[in-house]
Amino acid sequence: WKSSISVAIVGSGPAGCYTAKYLQRYFQQADENMSISIDMLDRLPTPFGLVRSGVAPDHPEVKNVQNDFSALFETEKLPVSFFGNVKVGRDVSLNEIRSIYDIVVLAYGCESDRKLQIPGEDSLEGVISAREFVSWYNAHPDYSHIDAVVSKALSSKEIRHVVVIGHGNVALDCARILAKGCSKSIGLDSTDIASHALSTLRANDTPITITIVGRRGHIQGAYTIKELRELTRLEDEGYGAIFSISPDELEFGSTQSSLKQLEKSRPKKRIDKLLRQTAARNGTLESVSPNENLVKLRFLLNPVSFEPSLTEKSKLGFVRCERTKLIPHKDIPDDGQSQIAVGTGEYVDIPAQLALVSVGYKGVPIGGLEHSFQKEKGIVQNQGGKVDGEGPGLYVTGWLKRGPNGIIGTNAVDAKETVASILQDLKDEKLPIKNNGGTAKLTQFLHDREVKVVDWGAYQMINSVETRSAEMRNEKQPRNKLPTYHELLNAAFPRDPRPV
């Protein structure tokens, strides 16, 4: 084909940015008669998705990928255009976008949570998802209200208790940020954690016990050794928190099938060794000195209900868990990885004023995906990134394509597959080239609807305000994130008289 192709990417996180990168690179190197315009839409005034609002503030090295992504918008040849503060489904419909662009790629990720579906989850104050907590401490403007929830839950003058449910890296991130943030150390001052979150975590110096629970054993955990090591180092690095693991729970989880699973995985062997060393050192701790906090990683505990406080019935008081045991799945050959956790009838009540549920993110549909969105899985049905049942020109990438798993780099592999499908469809002439306006038409739509579009230049105004040294806690802090839409839009349009 020899034409100019118009592409709209919905979502500016890693999935969207990697897709833009590989499309941009292909056309930058292509025949001069072949051209492309790429517009990236995001409902937030800021780009980069979970790199900004999901990565833990004490993992700055992971955020360096933003430099690579920024180059997409700043290159001289075929730069990507940013349309921030534009929500598809509110400001412009998916069908409208499809009518004016040749290719539309959905890359908006997972904006909801999987639920435990147990009593008290939706009714008691103090029960929130880990996604909400992470978004709060990363200054996501949709979650500033979480400040009141966390503040109230952690206001106790007695020992404070938090339960984190889940054995993935997000759960461990939450526990670690709580332990560091609630310590007297200034370690998080040099990160980009939201200032309001740091103030809330530090408002009370009463000791805190953070208990991480999961229904299976330590060998089945979805965490990586890097996140576990960070918990083991809390005390040595001066955060005043001891990391504790029960030797008994390690042994109960070391079934014959689990040992088979362990034998097949070198990473899990390293994890097993680290956890056993920690258990031998701190395994029997039930309490610590008055000035120290405690982080406990527990296994074979399945939450069955959130129970109210004995004194305030609207607030969380404890998490009731049933002890479990691992048994082979009756319908699957015992390969060491097919065990299931079943209840034993024994229950344990763990005190908690705050509970963070970390059992998975989930995608949500937008209008125009009536035939392809799989509600149960929270993904868009596709073949190699090409959306099923919605007609030509619609593609998907990232978590919305495969589900919420992998690391940031996983999205690069995913995006390459989607881009390959796009290029093959172009080569096979399966995509009608509409020439229906693309960028110009979208700009007109949004102007007529009085949407305050944050383009790349306006985002640079936000970036300038957030990185101004006068606003920092100390000279090492990389960014002071603006936590509300009002502040973000005022920074983007400092001389605009229109209210925001």
Side-chain angles (χ1 to χ4, degrees), residues 319-337:
V319 180
R320 178 161 293 162
C321 298
E322 183 178 15
R323 288 195 186 275
T324 63
K325 62 180 180 180
L326 299 174
I327 63 171
H329 196 291
K330 64 178 181 179
D331 298 323
I332 302 175
D334 185 10
D335 60 357
Q337 300 185 52

Side-chain angles (χ1 to χ4, degrees), residues 62-186:
V62 180
K63 298 172 188 276
N64 289 337
V65 72
Q66 289 181 170
N67 299 326
D68 188 29
F69 294 159
S70 292
L72 297 170
F73 306 93
E74 296 168 356
T75 183
E76 291 185 9
K77 188 176 182 181
L78 304 178
V80 176
S81 296
F82 182 59
F83 285 76
N85 197 43
V86 176
K87 184 174 182 178
V88 176
R90 178 192 66 194
D91 302 317
V92 61
S93 72
L94 177 58
N95 289 335
E96 284 177 319
I97 293 173
R98 294 189 67 189
S99 73
I100 60 176
Y101 286 89
D102 302 315
I103 294 163
V104 177
V105 183
L106 303 175
Y108 61 84
C110 295
E111 298 180 340
S112 186
D113 305 284
R114 297 198 176 278
K115 294 274 194 176
L116 289 169
Q117 297 181 327
I118 60 176
E121 186 172 18
D122 296 320
S123 58
L124 289 175
E125 294 177 28
V127 182
I128 60 175
S129 71
R131 180 184 61 86
E132 293 172 305
F133 184 73
V134 169
S135 297
W136 166 71
Y137 68 60
N138 275 318
H140 191 300
D142 284 342
Y143 297 94
S144 55
H145 66 282
I146 297 297
D147 200 64
V149 179
V150 177
S151 179
K152 190 179 293 187
L154 298 184
S155 63
S156 173
K157 296 302 180 184
E158 300 175 0
I159 292 182
R160 299 171 293 166
H161 294 274
V162 178
V163 171
V164 184
I165 298 167
H167 278 166
N169 282 341
V170 173
L172 269 56
D173 280 349
C174 290
R176 187 182 69 255
I177 294 302
L178 272 166
K180 288 184 175 183
C182 291
S183 78
K184 295 178 181 178
S185 166
I186 60 170

Side-chain angles (χ1 to χ4, degrees), residues 329-349:
H329 196 291
K330 64 178 181 179
D331 298 323
I332 302 175
D334 185 10
D335 60 357
Q337 300 185 52
S338 57
Q339 296 176 99
I340 57 174
V342 299
T344 64
E346 182 183 353
Y347 295 88
V348 177
D349 289 343

Side-chain angles (χ1 to χ4, degrees), residues 17 21 89 101 130 169 228 276-277 355 373 377 412 419 443:
C17 285
K21 176 180 178 178
Y101 286 89
N169 282 341
L228 285 169
R276 289 185 183 280
Q277 288 173 342
F373 190 79
K377 294 181 179 180
V419 169
T443 301

Side-chain angles (χ1 to χ4, degrees), residues 195-213:
S195 294
H196 66 266
L198 191 55
S199 295
T200 295
L201 293 175
R202 281 189 179 157
N204 186 346
D205 59 3
T206 305
I208 187 168
T209 295
I210 304 155
T211 306
I212 311 162
V213 303

